[in-house]
Amino acid sequence: MPQQYVLVLNCGSSSLKFAIIDAQSGNETLSGLAECLGLENASLKYKLNGNKHTVSLAPNAQHAQAIAVLVQLINDNKLSDQLIAVGHRVVHGGENFTGSVIINEDVISAITKVSALAPLHNPANLVGIAAAIKAFGSLPQIAVFDTAFHQTMPSKAYLYALPYSLYKEHSVRRYGFHGTSHYFVSGQAAEVLQKPIKDINLISAHLGNGCSVTAIKGGKSVDTSMGITPLEGLVMGTRSGDVDPGLFSFLSNLGYSAKKIDNLLNKESGLLGLSQLSNDCRTIEEEYEKQNPQAILALDVFCYRLAKYIASYTVPLGKLDAIIFTGGIGENSHLIREKVLNLLTIFGLSVDNDKNLAARFGQSGVITNNNSGPIALVIPTNEEWVIAQDSAQLVKEAK
Ligand code: ADP
């Protein structure tokens, strides 16, 4: 089988993650991250053939400049000849996309239309798409949507109890995000359980800066915690997750503008807001070990909310085979995994401390030792590989 290299681009609001991945094996020849785009200290770090490099970008450099540096890098190292496609992570596809697609004018206009639902992400994704088309016009460009995996949810799971006209006229509903990650780890879990994915029921917790949990029945998403935007659900790094909607009028009566409330819920809440220390879980854990009461409070709220969501997702699943932890926190924090699983002993889960400690820093594994009932697993996610695989598949089908 020939190697099938795909350039994968993931544009965040002020960052650009990139990689050249062999869709067959998942091996990366180039990977990197441009950070602080739009700020004084914009920079680009990359790893090529195992060697690490840093490039400082012009102050306030935007996505387009970072992509120009990336294109130069690819051309200088003669990597472009081997590329078969460019795969783009697109955060919001609305109800238009149930899977990945080759990008054309209609796709771009559909992504633009739903930008109001993901104002921090979709415009950045579109900048990446435009720059990549300019630089690699001859290559197919593929869009892989965070929302697509969740389009299998039934209406009872995706509808809010609001006037139905809001859904029909303005597409107000739950969409869910992190779909590529939940899809990837559910496939890996089936391999660990040695059962066909159609025969197993899973709950997957993606815990990074953004956090979401998904109920996956026979390989299909049947419920998920993020909503019309990536703000709903779990406690996250700086996002509040669920709050009483009555809070909006309460805060507005206190004189908060809509913009201020939005900023408060998205950027000043979550682990940062509760701990008053940091949005970085590692810092909070260090303080937790020192018995800092704010750190204890933040992790208690984080774990309690997550455990409640996991328990509630046994409703759409009926039977549960495994709980999966992934994302930066899920893959590394043995403390959070232990605290969450200890809140779920009703399911017969029993944490194996040695296995829980071992499953970190890229190591996957089962972390429970009960002989019956569901197990808990740590599985490092790899959204980039899914994007490369989908891109290669669509290129093959188009031939
Ligand atoms: P993103 O959602 O931006 O992709 P990541 O999946 O990389 O983010 O997750 C970032 C989170 O993972 C941060 O809160 C970070 O503190 C946490 N994290 C990373 N390593 C560890 C660790 N060893 N222990 C606890 N938390 C960790």
Side-chain angles (χ1 to χ4, degrees), residues 17 89 178 206-211 237 239 271 279-283 285 326-334 336 360-361 381 383:
K17 224 168 152 183
R89 175 193 181 204
H178 292 142
H206 177 107
L207 311 175
N209 285 310
C211 301
R239 285 173 247 168
L271 289 175
N279 62 325
D280 191 315
C281 189
R282 284 164 290 203
T283 311
E285 284 193 12
T326 194
I329 297 173
E331 290 167 29
N332 296 301
S333 174
H334 60 98
I336 286 185
R360 290 188 295 161
F361 314 125
T381 196
E383 291 154 290

Side-chain angles (χ1 to χ4, degrees), residues 86-156:
V86 184
H88 299 265
R89 175 193 181 204
V90 179
V91 166
H92 217 310
E95 286 188 320
N96 302 307
F97 302 103
T98 54
S100 305
V101 289
I102 296 181
I103 296 173
N104 57 26
E105 285 299 321
D106 290 345
V107 171
I108 291 178
S109 90
I111 296 171
T112 309
K113 264 195 198 142
V114 292
S115 284
L117 299 176
L120 293 179
H121 297 96
N122 272 31
N125 301 152
L126 286 165
V127 169
I129 291 170
I133 290 175
K134 206 166 151 211
F136 303 104
S138 60
L139 291 176
Q141 310 279 326
I142 317 294
V144 180
F145 299 92
D146 263 27
T147 45
F149 181 60
H150 300 300
Q151 281 295 306
T152 47
M153 281 191 289
S155 52
K156 65 185 170 196

Side-chain angles (χ1 to χ4, degrees), residues 19-30:
I20 291 182
I21 302 182
D22 177 8
Q24 299 283 335
S25 64
N27 288 341
E28 296 181 354
T29 38
L30 169 74

Side-chain angles (χ1 to χ4, degrees), residues 187-388:
Q188 299 283 306
E191 286 184 20
V192 175
L193 291 163
Q194 298 185 322
K195 286 190 180 155
I197 185 95
K198 66 176 181 38
D199 295 340
I200 54 173
N201 291 346
L202 305 163
I203 295 176
S204 150
H206 177 107
L207 311 175
N209 285 310
C211 301
S212 70
V213 61
T214 296
I216 303 166
K217 193 178 176 97
K220 292 194 165 52
S221 167
V222 290
D223 207 343
T224 194
S225 60
M226 281 178 168
I228 184 169
T229 75
L231 178 57
E232 192 179 345
L234 302 178
V235 177
M236 313 188 205
T238 59
R239 285 173 247 168
S240 62
D242 295 340
V243 290
D244 179 346
L247 179 68
F248 290 80
S249 55
F250 179 81
L251 289 177
S252 96
N253 288 339
L254 289 180
Y256 283 58
S257 65
K259 198 169 168 213
K260 197 169 172 196
I261 296 173
D262 195 62
N263 202 53
L264 175 111
L265 296 173
N266 276 294
K267 302 205 171 138
E268 297 169 3
S269 299
L271 289 175
L272 172 68
L274 283 166
S275 70
Q276 305 279 288
L277 294 162
S278 169
N279 62 325
D280 191 315
C281 189
R282 284 164 290 203
T283 311
I284 300 173
E285 284 193 12
E286 276 165 30
E287 289 298 314
Y288 180 95
E289 299 301 343
K290 294 182 208 156
Q291 304 286 307
N292 179 320
Q294 289 305 125
I296 293 171
L297 194 68
L299 293 193
D300 279 354
V301 178
F302 183 96
C303 294
Y304 179 68
R305 176 92 53 90
L306 174 55
K308 266 205 315 189
Y309 259 98
I310 291 174
S312 74
Y313 281 175
T314 57
V315 172
L317 294 182
K319 158 185 101 81
L320 176 62
D321 294 290
I323 296 167
I324 310 165
F325 290 94
T326 194
I329 297 173
E331 290 167 29
N332 296 301
S333 174
H334 60 98
L335 173 66
I336 286 185
R337 296 187 306 232
E338 184 186 349
K339 280 173 73 69
V340 171
L341 293 172
N342 283 344
L343 291 166
L344 294 167
T345 48
I346 192 165
F347 298 108
L349 288 152
S350 156
V351 182
D352 182 310
N353 289 333
D354 293 337
K355 288 183 187 164
N356 190 27
L357 261 177
R360 290 188 295 161
F361 314 125
Q363 285 302 313
S364 56
V366 178
I367 57 169
T368 41
N369 60 17
N370 41 289
N371 293 322
S372 59
I375 59 168
L377 290 166
V378 175
I379 299 180
T381 196
N382 194 338
E383 291 154 290
E384 284 75 20
W385 191 13
V386 176
I387 296 171

